[in-house]
Amino acid sequence: MDMPVIELTGVTKSFGPVDVLKGVGLSAYAGKVTALVGDNGAGKSTLIKGLAGVQPYDSGEIKFAGNVVNLHTPRDASLLGIEVVYQDLALCENLDIVQNMFLGREDMKHGTLYEGVMEREAAKTLQGLSVRTVKSVRQKVSSLSGGQRQTVAIARSVLRNAKLVILDEPTAALGVAQTEQVLHLVRRLADAGVAVIIISHNLVDIFKVADYISVLYLGQMVASLETTKTNNADVVGYITGSKTYIGDNS
Amino acid sequence: MTTPTTIGTGHEGSIREQVTDYFHRLRSGDMGALPALGGFIVLSTLFSFLNPYFLTKLNFANLFTQAATLMMLAMALVFVILIGEIDLSAGVTSGVAMAVFVLLVNKMGVNWIIGVLVALLVGIAIGGFIGYFVAKVRVPSFVVTLGLFLGLQGLELVLLGDGGLFRIETPQILSIMNDNMPPWAGWVMLVIALAVSYGMGLWDRNRRKAAGVANRPAALLYAKLGAIAVGGGVVVAILNQNRAVSIVAIQGVPIVVPIALAILWIGTFVLDRTRFGRNLYAVGGNPEAARRAGIKITMVRLFAFVTCSTLAVVSGIFDASRIGSVDASAGKSIVLSGVAAAVVGGVSLFGGRGRLSHAAIGAFVIAIIDNGLGLLGLPSGVNFLVTGGVLILAATVDAVSRKRTGGSLR
Ligand SMILES: Nc1ncnc2c1ncn2[C@@H]1O[C@H](COP(=O)(O)OP(=O)(O)O)[C@@H](O)[C@H]1O
Ligand SMILES: [Mg+2]
């Protein structure tokens, strides 16, 4: 198999006396969707926050494209090309689509914002993802539906030439049609060569979109499976702890 | 259309489509300063019926100088209200800075320009102090600035002494509010305003063209220039007529007008076209999103308070010029009117929404209430009641329109 874009080994994180991550390993590959599943409180969001640099791990090794790296700030992560689409959408509702997509890294010319180029690139990116539901890139985010907001958040990571995109429950708040749209978008993202990690509670969605499934159980990675070689019942077993990887996987 | 885009940018289409779009935005709750403009027209009509003096040339000119101090303070406050904070000490900050100014200039004989610079530095220092506690330590701005509201009043008393009052002896400062430009200079000012608007319009259009995105019909730019020419022309023409009641002629645009316009223009440029401006709106809209996008939100907040306090000092200079003196209570009573002006003009107290021009229009509404009720000879209690009522009304409009546009109430 190819070298993973990201490879975590023995990652730990504690909050005071509570060990939330107890030596976790995780890999994600270019062009593949890796689903991260686990019950509430398993430590999924904590694992992701470490990758985003917003909440560094206590110990463990992070390899990016084969090289050991440090992720101490969001800037470290974004410089490497790691982008996170958060569960609680990190968009400014008072700003429009272009302003959100370029937030924190606006195109400048003569010391002023270069709106025209940003508009053009935003529209191009959305079109590249075959987004059709957005009328104008100058629409305020407050006027968009939940699915459209997810679309904008995902498009933002594409615009930034992300190598690894992490989506924390991107479909949790969406209806059926919008979920379908976002899953399509996730697939297109991977097909474009990006490594995708998606967190979801919806196993139907995961079996639709993921290539690999990694199961986190109480801070430990209990299973890393290929989607085509496993089934719903097994995954549920790992998530609830009624099934264990070693010995039960023959 | 220059690019084969199926996703638009809002700049495509004929004038008719642009106008339809505009009304669509209005209906969706994004009304900006329109309610304030409406209020301004209704109030002016009402007062001109109730008191014949209201529409006189002299009162017209008075309105500008009455509104100027409030307008500067409201514009200062926009910078902190935009990030969802408040500065209740902006008024007394200007008072302390002017106290320092009169002590330096009157007592120590310092050059008045140095005096102004030191006063502005006092503003920067106080803004930095507030910014440090709000942005770094995360004490709520309401508390920090309420504390300073009291503390700085004390400092004014210490500096000027109980009941201390210093006359402004600098003619240049006095002339800001009390002298007028020669009539020709008023017209030059209007021509410059038109030239700058036209130049900016062309610059924008050329840059959009270079980027390969659509431009709005050029006619809209000309319509805007026409509106400035007609509106500004009427104002300059009226102000250029002799409005004296005695034989000594008083005519011309008050000197404060071009100063206030220049600050309004520069501030708007910063908010609309620089990264700092964009970051202010982002922090006001969703600080966590701004932080995750890599914006240094601590610095943004700090600079917002520094800008606010510094511009507040300018309003203090205007105030001292108008009154002709500085005393130990300078700036104490104006700050809530400043907040009211900003909110009435359409600046959202929830943060993230509003423009400097909104605050300027709001200041005119508050000033006209002041002026009109004063002319009617009503007791000043009525004035407070009406202004307070208008503020609550405006804040309600803000909250309701925020719900309409889908924003969450925090
Ligand atoms: N900042 C924190 N301080 C203390 N405990 C935390 C913190 N963040 C997460 N936890 C705890 O860590 C555990 C895992 O949380 P989380 O990573 O959010 O799980 P998941 O996303 O899988 O539901 C939970 O028990 C949670 O209470
Ligand atoms: Mg979670």
Side-chain angles (χ1 to χ4, degrees):
Chain A
M1 189 173 286
D2 295 344
M3 180 195 294
V5 171
I6 194 87
E7 186 176 5
L8 300 177
T9 358
V11 161
T12 67
K13 178 78 186 175
S14 314
F15 295 106
V18 190
D19 296 331
V20 176
L21 300 177
K22 310 168 187 165
V24 173
L26 176 71
S27 298
Y29 301 87
K32 303 287 182 195
V33 177
T34 305
L36 179 61
V37 298
D39 217 344
N40 281 332
K44 304 182 297 291
S45 293
T46 308
L47 188 63
I48 291 322
K49 280 178 188 155
L51 278 175
V54 297
Q55 200 180 73
Y57 305 127
D58 295 338
S59 69
E61 190 185 64
I62 310 166
K63 270 192 186 165
F64 189 86
N67 304 313
V68 177
V69 294
N70 286 319
L71 294 174
H72 291 309
T73 65
R75 213 176 148 64
D76 292 341
S78 68
L79 281 178
L80 287 173
I82 300 175
E83 295 291 338
V84 184
V85 177
Y86 289 94
Q87 189 169 14
D88 45 338
L89 286 163
L91 297 176
C92 295
E93 295 192 356
N94 58 328
L95 301 183
D96 63 34
I97 294 177
V98 179
Q99 292 169 334
N100 268 288
M101 283 176 68
F102 280 89
L103 197 60
R105 53 186 82 186
E106 291 83 2
D107 261 298
M108 308 293 286
K109 193 176 186 190
H110 307 309
T112 58
L113 300 165
Y114 200 178
E115 302 286 359
V117 163
M118 291 193 276
E119 265 174 31
R120 189 188 68 205
E121 293 306 309
K124 209 161 82 184
T125 306
L126 287 169
Q127 266 153 33
L129 292 167
S130 313
V131 173
R132 278 187 205 84
T133 54
V134 174
K135 221 166 53 189
S136 157
V137 288
R138 284 298 179 189
Q139 265 177 283
K140 288 250 165 75
V141 164
S142 59
S143 73
L144 300 179
S145 71
Q148 289 173 323
R149 289 178 197 206
Q150 281 293 359
T151 304
V152 170
I154 294 171
R156 172 160 71 177
S157 60
V158 174
L159 185 79
R160 294 176 176 185
N161 282 318
K163 305 261 183 343
L164 170 66
V165 174
I166 302 162
L167 304 118
D168 194 356
E169 303 204 31
T171 58
L174 303 185
V176 179
Q178 294 191 341
T179 298
E180 203 64 22
Q181 276 170 22
V182 170
L183 291 181
H184 265 118
L185 202 54
V186 169
R187 197 59 248 181
R188 269 198 294 277
L189 202 58
D191 292 345
V194 177
V196 180
I197 297 177
I198 180 171
I199 297 180
S200 178
H201 280 297
N202 189 330
L203 291 183
V204 179
D205 288 357
I206 285 173
F207 274 93
K208 232 183 264 170
V209 78
D211 300 294
Y212 304 105
I213 301 175
S214 293
V215 187
L216 202 58
Y217 178 72
L218 295 179
Q220 277 173 322
M221 199 58 84
V222 292
S224 295
L225 313 156
E226 273 184 64
T227 311
T228 48
K229 294 183 185 160
T230 186
N231 59 53
N232 204 314
D234 277 356
V235 175
V236 170
Y238 290 124
I239 291 176
T240 56
S242 66
K243 194 169 158 75
T244 42
Y245 194 46
I246 309 117
D248 216 332
N249 199 34
S250 43
Chain B
M1 285 256 273
T2 41
T3 45
T5 51
T6 49
I7 301 175
T9 64
H11 289 251
E12 296 84 358
S14 62
I15 297 178
R16 172 193 282 255
E17 283 165 319
Q18 289 288 332
V19 172
T20 321
D21 263 12
Y22 174 71
F23 281 107
H24 189 80
R25 281 201 301 277
L26 285 190
R27 267 204 306 278
S28 71
D30 198 2
M31 288 187 292
L34 272 194
L37 269 179
F40 183 76
I41 291 165
V42 169
L43 285 170
S44 339
T45 318
L46 186 70
F47 286 133
S48 43
F49 272 113
L50 291 177
N51 190 312
Y53 180 75
F54 182 80
L55 264 191
T56 58
K57 284 173 274 187
L58 186 58
N59 195 45
F60 186 72
N62 276 348
L63 249 180
F64 279 85
T65 44
Q66 277 182 5
T69 304
L70 191 60
M71 173 175 151
M72 269 318 300
L73 191 72
M75 294 197 319
L77 287 164
V78 168
F79 284 85
V80 294
I81 297 178
L82 265 189
I83 59 167
E85 307 282 355
I86 194 75
D87 182 359
L88 296 176
S89 65
V92 286
T93 296
S94 74
V96 167
M98 288 323 285
V100 170
F101 174 85
V102 287
L103 288 181
L104 284 176
V105 175
N106 293 23
K107 273 199 154 170
M108 302 162 95
V110 173
N111 179 287
W112 70 274
I113 295 179
I114 310 243
V116 168
L117 290 178
V118 173
L120 291 172
L121 280 178
V122 169
I124 291 174
I126 294 174
F129 179 89
I130 303 170
Y132 175 80
F133 279 96
V134 174
K136 265 258 193 274
V137 191
R138 295 303 283 141
V139 185
S141 56
F142 180 81
V143 177
V144 177
T145 61
L146 187 60
L148 274 187
F149 176 68
L150 298 174
L152 292 180
Q153 283 181 49
L155 187 56
E156 282 190 72
L157 280 171
V158 171
L159 288 172
L160 298 182
D162 209 350
L165 184 142
F166 288 77
R167 237 165 247 304
I168 297 285
E169 287 160 3
T170 316
Q172 290 88 342
I173 297 288
L174 287 173
S175 63
I176 294 174
M177 285 292 217
N178 299 297
D179 291 341
N180 306 296
M181 299 194 294
W184 61 265
W187 294 115
V188 170
M189 177 190 81
L190 183 59
V191 170
I192 292 176
L194 281 168
V196 168
S197 302
Y198 184 55
M200 291 292 286
L202 278 191
W203 192 49
D204 280 344
R205 296 182 67 81
N206 285 335
R207 287 206 339 176
R208 292 188 65 86
K209 206 169 147 199
V213 290
N215 261 314
R216 294 202 165 91
L220 287 174
L221 173 62
Y222 297 125
K224 181 180 151 197
L225 292 175
I228 297 175
V230 172
V234 169
V235 170
V236 172
I238 295 176
L239 290 174
N240 273 350
Q241 290 172 34
N242 181 13
R243 54 180 174 269
V245 276
S246 68
I247 32 176
V248 188
I250 304 175
Q251 58 181 7
V253 177
I255 286 173
V256 69
V257 172
I259 300 176
L261 278 182
I263 294 174
L264 170 65
W265 186 84
I266 294 169
T268 302
F269 187 96
V270 168
L271 285 181
D272 284 355
R273 295 165 186 271
T274 69
R275 202 169 250 162
F276 173 60
R278 180 63 42 84
N279 290 350
L280 283 176
Y281 284 97
V283 170
N286 185 346
E288 183 56 21
R291 193 180 71 84
R292 290 179 191 174
I295 295 170
K296 298 193 176 85
I297 61 175
T298 309
M299 292 314 277
V300 173
R301 287 188 172 125
L302 184 74
F303 278 116
F305 279 99
V306 169
T307 310
C308 172
S309 300
T310 311
L311 288 180
V313 173
V314 179
S315 86
I317 296 174
F318 288 2
D319 199 35
S321 169
R322 196 163 106 88
I323 302 170
S325 64
V326 175
D327 65 28
S329 68
K332 191 171 136 186
S333 56
I334 195 178
V335 75
L336 287 183
S337 301
V339 176
V343 175
V344 165
V347 179
S348 173
L349 277 174
F350 297 103
R353 224 161 36 136
R355 306 174 59 77
L356 289 181
S357 57
H358 293 173
I361 292 167
F364 269 98
V365 173
I366 302 291
I368 216 172
I369 293 174
D370 230 16
N371 177 290
L373 292 180
L375 289 181
L376 293 181
L378 293 172
S380 67
V382 175
N383 188 342
F384 285 136
L385 281 171
V386 172
T387 310
V390 170
L391 172 59
I392 292 175
L393 183 71
T396 308
V397 170
D398 177 22
V400 171
S401 86
R402 194 179 158 80
K403 261 194 209 155
R404 276 255 293 271
T405 55
S408 54
L409 287 162
R410 267 178 295 155

